[in-house]
Amino acid sequence: MTTGKKNIELLDFLHNELELSDKDMAVALKHQEFDNGPLPMLLWQYGLVDLQQLEQILDWLYNES
């Protein structure tokens, strides 16, 4: 699986399962360009997901690897 495909699948998961808005994801992706941090941590850091949602994201990433 390519990194680009994995990122698209992660964005789909965030949108469909966690119901994050396109705007919230765009904010995190913009900050990722500057902070160069992992997207799940940036989502949590900026208050776009709570700790339970962060755990769901990390579980999803673990299961996809």
Side-chain angles (χ1 to χ4, degrees):
M1 177 183 307
T2 65
T3 303
K5 183 177 179 185
K6 188 169 191 137
N7 285 339
I8 291 170
E9 290 175 356
L10 174 58
L11 293 175
D12 285 342
F13 171 78
L14 295 172
H15 184 71
N16 296 325
E17 297 296 323
L18 298 183
E19 299 179 356
L20 287 179
S21 70
D22 292 337
K23 183 178 177 182
D24 288 345
M25 290 189 292
V27 167
L29 290 170
K30 185 167 184 97
H31 284 284
Q32 186 180 32
E33 290 177 19
F34 298 110
D35 295 341
N36 199 26
L39 184 59
M41 295 307 295
L42 291 172
L43 289 165
W44 179 69
Q45 179 181 358
Y46 289 101
L48 302 171
V49 296
D50 61 28
L51 203 50
Q52 182 180 10
Q53 290 170 312
L54 176 61
E55 187 175 326
Q56 286 179 274
I57 296 167
L58 296 176
D59 287 344
W60 182 88
L61 287 170
Y62 177 78
N63 289 326
E64 290 298 311
S65 61

